[in-house]
Amino acid sequence: MNEYDSNRIYDLVKKINYKKTNISEDADCYILNTCHIREKATDKVYHDIGRIKKSFKNKKKPIVLITGCVAQAEGEIILNKEKYIDAVIGPQSYHQLNETILKIEKSSNKLNETNFEVIDKFNKLNQLKNSNDKISSFLTIQEGCDKFCKFCVVPYTRGPEHSRSIDELLLECNNLVDNGAREITLLGQNVNDFKYKEKKLSDLIKEISKIKNLKRIRYTTSHPNDFTDDLIEAHGSVEKLMPMIHLPVQSGSNKTLKNMNRKHSVEDYLKIIERLKKINPLIEFSSDFIIGYPGETNEDFNDTLKLLEDVKFINSYSFIFSPRVGTPAAKMKLVESTIAKERLLTFQKKAAEIKLSYRKTLINNYSTVLFENKIKTNKNYFGKDKFSNPVLIDTNEDLKGKIRKVKITDVNHNTLFGEINEKEKKTEFAA
Ligand code: SAM
Ligand code: SF4
């Protein structure tokens, strides 16, 4: 979502004649768009400011703005602590960015823009064309969260749930496809709780699947409690909807899930997977896991390992529990750090084995790949298969935006390597 926000921030500042620069010492303004989901984010802000200060030691100070969730959660503290920062702007207030920059250009007052009015933000952003021209683009359709998992800052930093209107989303989607997008990932902190009037995520997916040049649709991040029948059905009926679902489970222990206030059990989770696999046996899953959550015993951890092995997630993102100030879990007793680290290593080793053995099954088989861009340093072309696996092939052809059948010849933990048969070089595939 920060990538989407950063692109939109750029669309905004262009209106007051700011341009991107790759030479950081030339910048008149720095915007650090931050994430607050785990610790160290604030440290990183101070670290980056230190770097900027050093490069501008003998020059005119640039304008320095902190946007995103660190600004929302710790805005006043960082403004007081680091005098080099001119303003903090929360994730729901960045539509006011130009006014803020213009004010700073005129005076040296510190500004704190962390009001919550997500509707105002989208009203303003809708007036600006989205200039992102990537083959694979993000589109925020829903923001915020009302679920209050005990470990998570999102309900406090992004605010309550808000879904954008279908009409504005269709306009922006068409805009992105006109810019060149062939794949769109619909974004939301609770994307499958998208509701606009009577319309749900499945309705939106069906609407945008009618856009002719849009080839692939994905969505992230889903919550198990919002996996409704209509969305499951869409996976059987919408060909453009990719058979890859990111569905965070956090833990394989019902006791831990309860302590987290997740409001779903491991059994509920497995039932969703079973129903999705029934409608489309090709669907694969990825997930997020929190390791060393307060109260997690060895037995709880082993339950998580068991779930990992049972589902065979093709990608697993795991993090040691990070206490976030203001969340209920921050007050709970921590699992000893050495134990948590050891568990994380065990988990990640198992997850990597599962991932690699899945990838090895792809060797000598064919994948349909949507190509995105040429790698600058060599002849490789980069694309993604239906399961979001990155694929590289060696070619001189311009494959940007094309979907080709690729024979996978080798794999590693990061990438699949492949080749296109002579006969299939010109054949277009639907999705
Ligand atoms: N809304 C999604 C859900 O409920 O499944 C997750 C969105 S959250 C922004 C992304 C991931 O960050 C979570 O799935 C969780 O694994 C991780 N995360 C959030 N808070 C965390 C914390 N305090 N410590 C460690 N990981 C955390
Ligand atoms: Fe955070 Fe997701 Fe839980 Fe909401 S549902 S509180 S975004 S982890």
Side-chain angles (χ1 to χ4, degrees), residues 134-146:
K134 286 191 172 167
I135 295 297
S136 177
S137 281
F138 291 127
L139 173 61
T140 294
I141 66 164
Q142 179 276 339
E143 270 195 52
C145 179
D146 303 328

Side-chain angles (χ1 to χ4, degrees), residues 1-2 5 35 37 69 91-92 118 121-122 139-147 149 152-163 186-194 219-224 226 246 248 250 262 288:
M1 191 169 281
N2 271 17
D5 288 344
C35 172
I37 202 80
C69 291
Q92 310 305 19
V118 67
K121 177 175 83 174
F122 285 114
L139 173 61
T140 294
I141 66 164
Q142 179 276 339
E143 270 195 52
C145 179
D146 303 328
K147 293 200 168 63
C149 299
C152 185
V153 284
V154 169
Y156 312 94
T157 55
R158 289 263 171 184
E161 281 192 29
H162 167 79
S163 297
L186 306 173
L187 298 178
Q189 273 86 30
N190 281 279
V191 75
N192 55 339
D193 200 21
F194 172 87
Y219 57 89
T220 199
T221 296
S222 305
H223 191 285
D226 299 317
H246 183 61
Q250 315 298 355
R262 284 292 289 183
D288 293 346

Side-chain angles (χ1 to χ4, degrees), residues 73-92:
E74 298 190 37
E76 208 50 45
I77 303 172
I78 47 180
L79 264 187
N80 288 330
K81 191 164 160 189
E82 181 47 89
K83 303 293 173 218
Y84 211 72
I85 298 171
D86 295 292
V88 289
I89 303 166
Q92 310 305 19

Side-chain angles (χ1 to χ4, degrees), residues 45-46 75 143 164 169 201 215 257 304 359 369 411 418:
V45 169
Y46 294 128
E143 270 195 52
R164 297 178 63 192
L169 289 169
L201 176 61
K215 306 287 183 194
L257 289 176
T304 302
R359 289 192 164 185
V369 177
V411 297

Side-chain angles (χ1 to χ4, degrees), residues 374 378-381 392-397 418-420:
K374 204 167 170 50
N378 54 33
K379 274 184 6 195
N380 284 339
Y381 224 102
L392 285 180
I393 68 158
D394 186 352
T395 181
N396 285 321
E397 265 185 273
E419 59 193 24
I420 305 181

